[in-house]
Amino acid sequence: MLEGLRRLEYRGYDSAGVAVLADGSIQFRKKAGKVAALDEEIAKAPLPASTLGIGHTRWATHGAPTDANAHPHVVDNGNLAVVHNGIIENFAELKKELAEKGYNFVSETDTEVAATLLADVLATETPGDLTKAMQLTSQRLEGAFTLLAIQSQFPDRIVAARLNSPLVIGLGEGENFLSSDVSGFIDYTKDAVEMGNAQIVTITPDSYEITDFFGNPAEGKEFKVEWDAASAEKGGFASFMDKEIHDQPQAVGDTLLGRFDDKGKLTLDEVNIDEATLRSIDKIIVIACGTAAYAGHVARYAIEHWCRIPTEVELAHEFRYRDPIVTDRTLVVALSQSGETMDTLMAVRHAREQGAKVIAICNTRGSSIPREADANLYTHAGPEIAVASTKAFLAQITASYLLGLYLAQLRGNMFADEIQAVVNELKAMPEKIQQVIDGEEQVKALGTEMKDSKSVLFLGRHVGFPVALEGALKLKEIAYLHAEGFAAGELKHGPIALIEEGQPVFVIVPSPRGRDSLHAKVVSNIQEIRARGAITIVIAEEGDTAVEQFANHVIRIPQAPTLLQPLLATVPLQIFACAVATAKGYDVDQPRNLAKSVTVE
Ligand code: M6R
C-alpha cells in the first residue's frame, strides 16, 4: 500500500495514512507530510501483518494538513475506517444531524462526517451489510467523492463508492485492488476495470461486484494497462519533471502513431461522431485549464487556419458559469492530461446538456472526461507524474493538430498534398525536439545563473504568445518566482513599464521563413526592451542571425514551420524552470500548494 501511495503521491501530498485489518481489529497510522513521514511513523510503530487495508494521500480541502485531519478516519469505536477523495458539499448539515444523534467529531473534515454517517447507517439500517450501507450513505452525500471503507466484521472486503471522482479496479490473481488511477497497482497487475459514475464496488480477493447507488447491478469495462511500472519510475533522472521533459520526443511520436492509413490519409478511429455532424460544425470551443488551456490556445491558430472554423479557447471554469452560446453545431474540444480535472469535466457536462458534441483529448484512458465525451482522441504521452505538465502539453498540441487536419480533410478545406506536407513536418518533430533537449546544458546554466531573479518576463506573438504564457506558468508553479507572459504586441500598451535594468525577458522569435512581418515585429520588440535595460534571452531558430545583435543570450531551436514551432520553443522554457527550481533547492515534482489532478471545483 505504501508503494501504491508513493506512486499516487503526485495527486496530493499534504498528509498520508493507512489502515489495516488484522485479527478482527483495525489498526491505523497517519501523519501530516509526505508518504516518507508516514513511513517513519510506521517504522516507529509497526503495523501487524495483514492482507486487507486502505491508504490515502491527501490534498487538503476541509481542514489544514494536520495528523488529525489526515485519512483514514476511523470511527465506530475503531471498527470502521474510511478514506476519501473529493468534497462533500452537504457535510455541514449532515454533521449537525449526526451531532444531534450524539456523535462526536475529532477532525474538521467532511470525510469524518461521511464515515460517521456510514457507521450510523450500518448500525441502524443495514446491520451486517457494508455494501448496502455504502449505497444508502452515497444516496445522501452531495458533491464529489470516492470513498473506501473497511469494517472489522468483514475481514475479506473493501467497499467503495464514486461520484464525480476517479476510481479504478485492479484485478490480480487471488488479490484485487482499488486506486484513483492504475499507477496505484501497476506493480501487481495490468488488468483493470473502469467503473461508471455514481457506482459502488465491493471487492474481495477473488471477486468484484458493481452496483449503482440503489443496488442495481452494473457492468464494469475491463481493459489492459498499456504502460508498465518502469514508465512511472524516474529512470535515473533527478526528478520526474526532468524525465518527462526527456520523454517528449517519444510522447509526440507515439501520439502520431497509428493515425494514418497506407495512403497517408488521416483516420482518427476514436472519433466516432458521424461525419455529417462534423461537417456541419460552425464553431469550435476548446475548454481546458492551466497548461492544457495554453495547448488549446496554440491549437486555435492552427485549427482556424486549416479548417476556417471560428475557434474559441476558454478556461473550463469560466465557460461553465458564463452562459456560453453553445448549439448542436458547436464542437467542444476538452483538453486534459488527467481526464479528471473537475472544472473541465463540469464544462463537458454543461456543453453536452446544451446539445454540443464533445471530443476529449486526454492522456489517461478510462478517466472521467473521455468516458463522458462523445468521442476521444488519446494522447500517448505515457504517465505524467510531475505536477508541472510538460510532455502532456506537447502531446496535446500534437493531438489537437491531428484533429484540425482531420477536420480540414473531412470538410475539404485543404488538399491532400497540403495535409501530407504538414503531417510530414509533424513526423519530423520528435527528432527536432531531441535536438533541443540535447542543448539543455546551456539552458540549465542560465537557470542556475538567474535563480535569484525577482521576476522573469516572457514575450511571444502568434503561437509564441501561449508558449510565453506556458513558460511563465512553469516558473511560477515550481520555482515560486514571479513570472508573466505577454503578447509581444501588447508590450507598448503597458507592460513595457516593468522593464528596468537587469530584468530578464525571454522572447520567442517566430521563424523568419514564415510571415516576414511577424518576425520583423518581434525583432523590433527585442530592441525596445533591450534599449530599456532588459537582459534578453532569445529563442530563435537556427540561421536567424537578425536577432543576434539584440540578444544577451540566444537559445537555438531547429527550423520548423511557424505553427509547429511551439513543439520546440516550449522545451527550453521547461528546462529553464526545472533548473531554477533545482538550483533553489525546491521539490521540483511536488511544488507547494498544488496537486497533479485538480479533482475539486
Ligand atoms: O489534467 P489536466 O490537463 O486537466 O490539468 C490541467 C491543469 O491543472 C494542469 O495543466 C496544471 O496547470 C499544471 N500543473 C501545469 O503545469
Side-chain angles (χ1 to χ4, degrees):
M1 264 196 307
L2 288 168
E3 267 318 306
L5 290 183
R6 253 185 287 279
R7 290 202 191 283
L8 291 170
E9 203 172 18
Y10 69 89
R11 305 177 72 91
Y13 34 82
D14 289 339
S15 54
V18 289
V20 296
L21 185 51
D23 299 328
S25 83
I26 289 176
Q27 298 208 29
F28 67 97
R29 306 282 180 269
K30 54 186 192 172
K31 196 75 197 146
K34 297 190 174 176
V35 175
L38 176 66
D39 267 341
E40 283 172 25
E41 191 68 11
I42 294 174
K44 277 190 249 154
L47 285 163
S50 168
T51 57
L52 187 92
I54 53 177
H56 188 260
T57 163
R58 177 169 188 247
W59 185 74
T61 56
H62 290 62
T66 59
D67 291 354
N69 288 336
H71 303 208
H73 287 274
V74 181
V75 298
D76 188 22
N77 298 318
N79 287 313
L80 178 76
V82 168
V83 294
H84 162 227
N85 282 341
I87 293 179
I88 293 164
E89 284 176 344
N90 58 337
F91 90 105
E93 70 195 64
L94 291 171
K95 190 170 185 175
K96 188 161 168 269
E97 187 186 312
L98 290 162
E100 279 164 10
K101 280 187 165 181
Y103 289 102
N104 293 317
F105 296 90
V106 295
S107 78
E108 303 154 88
T109 64
D110 49 352
T111 308
E112 193 187 2
V113 175
T116 307
L117 179 63
L118 179 65
D120 184 63
V121 171
L122 182 65
T124 59
E125 297 180 52
T126 67
D129 191 343
L130 186 59
T131 303
K132 185 89 189 134
M134 186 64 95
Q135 288 163 0
L136 295 184
T137 302
S138 300
Q139 289 174 28
R140 299 209 47 205
L141 301 177
E142 289 166 18
F145 54 85
T146 298
L147 287 168
L148 265 65
I150 54 172
Q151 218 276 358
S152 54
Q153 291 174 52
F154 310 102
D156 67 339
R157 65 196 51 216
I158 302 173
V159 179
R162 71 164 290 227
L163 178 71
N164 298 331
S165 180
L167 181 65
V168 57
I169 307 163
L171 302 178
E173 303 249 327
E175 54 180 3
N176 286 323
F177 307 85
L178 292 166
S179 176
S180 294
D181 68 48
V182 295
S183 59
F185 51 70
I186 190 69
D187 287 319
Y188 298 92
T189 182
K190 288 185 172 184
D191 294 315
V193 184
E194 222 178 284
M195 284 175 64
N197 199 26
Q199 289 187 340
I200 306 284
V201 63
T202 303
I203 61 163
T204 69
D206 319 294
S207 67
Y208 72 92
E209 212 173 296
I210 306 175
T211 68
D212 65 14
F213 286 178
F214 300 92
N216 302 306
E219 288 286 310
K221 196 168 144 202
E222 299 197 2
F223 66 100
K224 269 253 179 265
V225 181
E226 285 167 358
W227 46 273
D228 55 17
S231 320
E233 299 290 354
K234 284 186 206 161
F237 289 95
S239 62
F240 278 110
M241 184 180 179
D242 196 11
K243 171 186 177 279
E244 287 159 10
I245 289 171
H246 287 78
D247 283 346
Q248 293 184 111
Q250 182 164 4
V252 170
D254 287 355
T255 299
L256 291 168
L257 279 182
R259 313 285 195 194
F260 313 97
D261 66 15
D262 49 8
K263 296 191 184 70
K265 203 170 164 204
L266 279 159
T267 51
L268 301 186
D269 48 13
E270 296 113 321
V271 175
N272 40 33
I273 301 172
D274 67 79
E275 296 192 349
T277 306
L278 286 173
R279 278 197 198 94
S280 71
I281 292 305
D282 63 4
K283 177 162 80 167
I284 293 177
I285 306 179
V286 182
I287 49 172
C289 300
T291 287
Y294 296 146
H297 279 284
V298 172
R300 176 188 174 197
Y301 290 88
I303 293 174
E304 285 195 332
H305 181 63
W306 292 331
C307 309
R308 311 308 298 153
I309 308 174
T311 303
E312 298 167 10
V313 185
E314 186 146 5
L315 294 169
H317 35 90
E318 289 298 314
F319 169 86
R320 169 67 187 83
Y321 295 102
R322 174 181 68 82
D323 195 13
I325 299 169
V326 175
T327 71
D328 57 4
R329 296 183 65 191
T330 307
L331 178 67
V332 167
V333 180
L335 287 181
S336 173
Q337 186 286 129
S338 60
E340 297 293 353
T341 299
M342 185 57 77
D343 291 315
T344 310
L345 179 61
M346 289 302 161
V348 164
R349 287 190 186 157
H350 186 63
R352 294 193 75 227
E353 278 161 21
Q354 313 291 308
K357 289 280 181 245
V358 176
I359 294 188
I361 296 183
C362 293
N363 195 42
T364 314
R365 245 164 223 275
S367 54
S368 301
I369 293 170
R371 283 163 35 80
E372 296 202 16
D374 297 288
N376 291 310
L377 178 53
Y378 282 104
T379 50
H380 297 300
E384 192 180 67
I385 309 291
V387 164
S389 187
T390 53
K391 60 178 177 175
F393 179 70
L394 264 56
Q396 281 159 353
I397 294 173
T398 307
S400 312
Y401 278 15
L402 286 171
L403 177 64
L405 292 172
Y406 176 74
L407 291 174
Q409 173 180 276
L410 195 75
R411 298 161 62 98
N413 301 96
M414 285 169 86
F415 292 113
D417 61 333
E418 290 172 321
I419 293 177
Q420 193 56 54
V422 182
V423 165
N424 290 342
E425 292 285 2
L426 273 171
K427 285 182 173 170
M429 294 316 281
E431 208 183 309
K432 293 184 183 185
I433 297 167
Q434 187 57 53
Q435 285 173 39
V436 181
I437 294 170
D438 291 344
E440 68 184 335
E441 288 312 322
Q442 177 203 5
V443 185
K444 283 184 174 171
L446 266 176
T448 309
E449 185 186 321
M450 295 188 170
K451 78 175 180 35
D452 295 320
S453 307
K454 290 267 170 310
S455 150
V456 179
L457 305 181
F458 296 79
L459 297 182
R461 253 175 209 266
H462 193 258
V463 284
F465 173 36
V467 170
L469 295 172
E470 172 62 4
L473 176 60
K474 288 289 89 88
L475 211 49
K476 285 183 242 197
E477 76 174 327
I478 62 166
Y480 318 147
L481 214 161
H482 174 256
E484 277 197 71
F486 297 109
E490 190 65 7
L491 206 59
K492 56 190 175 301
H493 299 286
I496 199 163
L498 289 170
I499 306 292
E500 57 186 10
E501 201 60 38
Q503 169 68 55
V505 185
F506 276 83
V507 187
I508 296 109
V509 182
S511 168
R513 299 165 306 107
R515 268 162 271 174
D516 272 1
S517 52
L518 208 56
H519 179 263
K521 289 211 165 65
V522 174
V523 173
S524 304
N525 297 139
I526 306 173
Q527 293 176 56
E528 287 156 15
I529 54 171
R530 180 76 189 275
R532 289 163 176 83
I535 298 176
T536 54
I537 306 131
V538 171
I539 300 181
E541 73 171 37
E542 280 151 9
D544 180 358
T545 49
V547 295
E548 281 166 3
Q549 55 180 317
F550 312 115
N552 294 85
H553 306 274
V554 183
I555 298 170
R556 291 291 177 191
I557 54 175
Q559 295 186 348
T562 305
L563 285 170
L564 269 50
Q565 199 203 48
L567 294 172
L568 304 173
T570 309
V571 179
L573 305 185
Q574 300 165 338
I575 297 170
F576 179 77
C578 190
V580 174
T582 306
K584 287 168 105 88
Y586 295 151
D587 184 336
V588 172
D589 291 330
Q590 297 182 340
R592 68 187 179 200
N593 304 338
L594 286 165
K596 178 68 177 164
S597 279
V598 184
T599 52
V600 290
E601 270 190 282

